[in-house]
Amino acid sequence: MAPITVAHYLAVGAVMFVAGVLCMVTKRNALGVLMGVELVLNGANINFVAFGSKLLRAESLGLDGQFIALFVIVLAAGEAAVALAIALNFYNNHTTIDVDRADDLKG
Amino acid sequence: MFVDSETIRFLWPELILVLCAAWIYLGGTFRGSRRWWVAFALAAYLLALGVILGLEGPATTSGDRGGLASGPILVDQLGMICRCFAILVGILLTLLMSKSTRHDLGSEYQGTLMLLVVGLMLVARANDLVLLFVSLELISVPTYVLLFLGRRDRGTSEATLKYFLLSILSSAMLLYGMSFLYGLTGTTSLRGIQAAVSTQPSVAALSFASLGISPDALIYLSLVFLVAGLGFRLAAVPFHFYAPDVFQGVTHANAALLSVVPKVAGLLAFTRLVILGFPQAASQAWEILLVLSILTMTLGNVCALWQQNLRRLLAYSSIAHAGYILIGITVALADSQRAGDSQGGVAAALVYVVVYAVAALGSFAVLAYLGSEQNEVHGVDELAGLARTRPFAATALSICMFSLAGLPPLAGFWGKLVLFLGAVQTSSGGLTVQVMQWFMILAIAGAINAAIGAAYYLRVIATMFFRAPAKTLDAEGGDGAAVVMLVCASLVVAIGLFPGIALNLARKAEASLRAPVSLAAQDPDRSQPRPVEHAWHAPEPPRTNL
């Protein structure tokens, strides 16, 4: 069996990223789209952690990659809070959170 | 990425604003008066401005122009000028929003706006991927809240949702692109990335090659994601879709914010990250951006021609101006391929974004001033005969729109002139025939677009001056909006009459961008910063401190 290399982690990250983008594009429920956002951000996180690990280089890079991932996780939590407020406001005005109903503005 | 007391000292202006914002949030629950919190916010901005000028004026102008690297921040001329501009934008937006908000939300509005200004100030001086990303998010998240607080009707909730989803997707793409930069270079410092990418083959590149991954391919991948993530903030094609809908749905003050703050932040991030970070990929990068630039300005200007809604029209105008800004970035990227003199691409883009920001803020301020809380101004037709009913507002709007159209002797003319001159100079001193042809096409496309653009601005001005007034507009936007309108119109005229001052400042900023940095921190002799060629080789403290 081939050893696990950083390329495998990159593949997982890329799959998560693409899955997240697909989720954002196809889901009609605003909360479903929000889950896609989480997938996309965490796809990038996997890359950071993989690049910072010892799989890629013999010498240590310190914890920079892991710290970026932690920052992003906290940010994603903050954005989710704001996103829920936005979704609630949308629901109050449209009585649905179907994003396809957001079609009033055009010109 | 190590922060010590020296770094904290340089961050005082930002810290003051963050503390004031926290105080506004807290105090707002006890004291509701909108007027009081506007005054408090203005005082905080002025205090921060004073601290910047007092604290860093000496630090950035003394010795060589290179500036200091301290922890994740870079103290240089570019950062200093852009932070002063960020505070100016903050003051103008505070005044503009002083009456357009609901009375009980005044403190939340001002506190959120202040955090956003801090984000813009941090983008201007970020020297680290982490700080750059976090400060860009410090702009985005308050923007969502401000859009949401502006109004609570159907249109606003839809615009907020659209902006939020696309903005977070663009942030994620930016982050994904940054992850490859980090992987290739093994450092998060922007200056470190710049040096590591230019010294090939690095250790990381070799280890990638052993995995069967070409490092060059990763650089291009990263470049595409970074351009996508930052292109959204500039509202460049093909990431512009949100702009017209979102601008139409939000209040005038929020539209002003959206047209100014993300653009400035996007340009700064482009400057620090793409122009400096990709010396080898520069030839591919300028090709991508040149095409995007032509597409962006053409699409923006052509679509604006038949818009009847004023905010939609200004949204397409904002897209078109993103195209002009991209000209400067393209010129700077083409320059970075050779060692000779710079054609001033970054300086031209900086001047242009400032000139655009002032004129756009002025235009939105006039529109905010003309409406009231119940009746906002929406259509171009509502402005008919404004020159007779509200002559001052009409004059201010005409000045701003003439500047956006690029008519001499206003500020917009000089902004366009330096941009186009940069493209022409690059085409005449280009490396190959192909480069010369492409930049000539770019300059010609810019000139044609300036002509198309003039058409729709002149349509608005003609409506104000040559049509009979249909009804008198409320003009209840408040004194704040009136002040912003006056300040912006006078700034446009002032920069138009004395363009040399703005150009010189921008040139200094560009020079500091390429100059070597010295280390401020961890140096026993503070008065004589030790010139270190590679700032990322800072003697790091033991990792266990982290």
Side-chain angles (χ1 to χ4, degrees):
Chain A
M1 222 170 77
I4 297 282
T5 63
V6 79
H8 294 89
Y9 286 92
L10 292 190
V12 175
V15 167
M16 273 178 78
F17 189 87
V18 174
V21 172
L22 282 180
C23 180
M24 287 185 77
V25 172
T26 54
K27 286 279 176 191
R28 295 175 62 204
N29 186 310
L31 297 184
V33 179
L34 209 59
M35 288 177 198
V37 169
E38 296 290 327
L39 277 181
V40 172
L41 286 172
N42 283 312
N45 269 350
I46 288 187
N47 270 11
F48 272 113
V49 176
F51 282 135
S53 72
K54 293 207 170 174
L55 291 170
L56 183 61
R57 295 175 182 79
E59 88 269 32
S60 171
L61 286 183
L63 291 171
D64 283 355
Q66 283 85 336
F67 266 95
I68 295 179
L70 281 181
F71 271 106
V72 174
I73 290 169
V74 174
L75 261 174
E79 308 225 352
V82 176
L84 289 179
I86 292 172
L88 190 62
N89 188 29
F90 189 80
Y91 180 79
N92 283 339
N93 283 298
H94 294 76
T95 62
T96 173
I97 47 170
D98 181 350
V99 289
D100 286 354
R101 296 281 296 280
D103 56 359
D104 288 344
L105 302 169
K106 55 183 137 198
Chain B
M1 192 179 64
F2 185 74
V3 181
D4 67 358
S5 57
E6 186 82 354
T7 315
I8 301 289
R9 194 172 72 84
F10 285 120
L11 282 173
W12 265 118
E14 283 87 352
L15 287 176
I16 288 172
L17 286 183
V18 169
L19 289 177
C20 288
W23 183 247
I24 292 177
Y25 279 128
L26 269 180
T29 54
F30 300 108
R31 182 169 184 155
S33 163
R34 196 163 53 177
R35 201 169 272 277
W36 158 255
W37 290 117
V38 169
F40 183 85
L42 289 179
Y45 287 126
L46 289 179
L47 177 66
L49 188 64
V51 173
I52 292 180
L53 294 176
L55 190 74
E56 280 170 40
T60 45
T61 46
S62 68
D64 60 349
R65 292 170 302 171
L68 314 163
S70 176
I73 63 167
L74 199 60
V75 186
D76 65 357
Q77 287 268 332
L78 174 67
M80 164 129 171
I81 292 168
C82 291
R83 287 159 73 219
C84 293
F85 181 66
I87 289 187
L88 176 70
V89 169
I91 290 174
L92 291 178
L93 284 174
T94 302
L95 287 172
L96 187 53
M97 290 175 177
S98 60
K99 205 182 168 200
S100 69
T101 53
R102 272 176 42 192
H103 202 276
D104 53 333
L105 289 177
S107 63
E108 278 85 352
Y109 230 84
Q110 297 303 339
T112 316
L113 181 64
M114 199 170 276
L115 289 180
L116 182 141
V117 171
V118 173
L120 189 53
M121 288 165 74
L122 285 176
V123 170
R125 61 197 328 209
N127 187 29
D128 196 282
L129 287 181
V130 188
L131 185 66
L132 187 63
F133 184 74
V134 172
S135 48
L136 282 172
E137 288 306 296
L138 189 53
I139 295 176
S140 300
V141 179
T143 307
Y144 313 143
V145 179
L146 284 176
L147 295 188
F148 165 79
L149 287 179
R151 228 192 290 133
R152 295 280 180 87
D153 62 356
R154 274 179 82 91
T156 309
S157 63
E158 177 184 335
T160 313
L161 189 68
K162 279 182 178 168
Y163 185 78
F164 170 77
L165 291 177
L166 288 172
S167 170
I168 188 93
L169 179 63
S170 83
S171 298
M173 290 206 277
L174 186 68
L175 188 72
Y176 200 64
M178 282 178 172
S179 77
F180 288 113
L181 267 189
Y182 170 68
L184 275 170
T185 55
T187 171
T188 56
S189 150
L190 294 184
R191 290 285 178 143
I193 288 171
Q194 182 192 354
V197 176
S198 50
T199 54
Q200 280 278 15
S202 65
V203 186
L206 288 177
S207 53
F208 274 111
S210 69
L211 290 173
I213 306 172
S214 150
D216 281 345
L218 284 188
I219 288 187
Y220 299 140
L221 193 66
S222 162
L223 177 73
V224 169
F225 277 109
L226 293 181
V227 168
L230 295 176
F232 170 86
R233 293 198 158 68
L234 286 179
V237 171
F239 317 104
H240 68 285
F241 292 108
Y242 74 96
D245 286 357
V246 173
F247 276 53
Q248 190 186 349
V250 300
T251 60
H252 286 297
N254 280 335
L257 181 143
L258 279 180
S259 68
V260 172
V261 176
K263 260 201 182 56
V264 177
L267 173 64
L268 285 171
F270 250 117
T271 317
R272 294 251 193 240
L273 192 58
V274 180
I275 296 179
L276 290 181
F278 289 94
Q280 307 154 308
S283 60
Q284 279 76 16
W286 75 252
E287 283 166 7
I288 298 175
L289 287 174
L290 193 143
V291 174
L292 284 189
S293 165
I294 294 177
L295 284 178
T296 305
M297 52 193 175
T298 313
L299 187 136
N301 277 324
V302 170
C303 287
L305 284 174
W306 57 78
Q307 296 305 325
Q308 287 303 320
N309 182 300
L310 274 165
R311 279 193 302 269
R312 248 188 133 74
L313 185 139
L314 284 170
Y316 279 112
S317 135
S318 149
I319 296 171
H321 286 280
Y324 298 129
I325 292 167
L326 282 177
I327 296 180
I329 298 174
T330 314
V331 169
L333 276 169
D335 274 350
S336 67
Q337 279 183 291
R338 53 173 181 204
D341 284 347
S342 130
Q343 307 286 359
V346 175
L350 280 176
V351 170
Y352 198 82
V353 83
V354 168
V355 163
Y356 166 73
V358 172
L361 268 174
S363 307
F364 282 116
V366 173
L367 298 181
Y369 171 74
L370 288 175
S372 64
E373 273 176 63
Q374 284 76 36
N375 296 316
E376 283 197 325
V377 184
H378 294 295
V380 177
D381 295 332
E382 289 176 51
L383 295 180
L386 195 69
R388 257 169 281 170
T389 53
R390 305 267 172 212
F392 283 114
T395 314
L397 187 57
S398 319
I399 291 176
C400 292
M401 291 233 162
F402 273 130
S403 171
L404 287 174
L407 264 67
L410 295 172
F413 168 72
W414 299 104
K416 282 202 175 64
L417 186 72
V418 282
L419 274 179
F420 296 165
L421 273 183
V424 171
Q425 275 170 1
T426 311
S427 79
S428 59
L431 297 171
T432 62
V433 180
Q434 215 189 355
V435 176
M436 291 160 70
Q437 280 172 347
W438 273 110
F439 275 90
M440 196 40 92
I441 292 173
L442 181 65
I444 293 170
I448 292 174
N449 267 290
I452 303 175
Y456 57 88
Y457 297 120
L458 291 179
R459 180 165 61 95
V460 177
I461 294 168
T463 310
M464 287 192 298
F465 280 85
F466 301 122
R467 275 176 53 186
K471 58 167 184 176
T472 308
L473 292 163
D474 296 345
E476 284 180 1
D479 300 337
V483 171
V484 177
M485 181 171 102
L486 276 180
V487 169
C488 288
S490 2
L491 268 178
V492 164
V493 174
I495 299 177
L497 293 179
F498 307 103
I501 301 172
L503 276 174
N504 276 337
L505 276 178
R507 291 218 177 93
K508 268 188 204 162
E510 183 176 9
S512 76
L513 186 67
R514 293 179 194 279
V517 290
S518 49
L519 271 182
Q522 294 121 18
D523 201 320
D525 187 4
R526 291 276 157 79
S527 61
Q528 288 257 309
R530 182 164 44 100
V532 183
E533 201 179 337
H534 299 309
W536 55 97
H537 282 153
E540 295 244 357
R543 285 287 180 181
T544 46
N545 283 5
L546 286 170

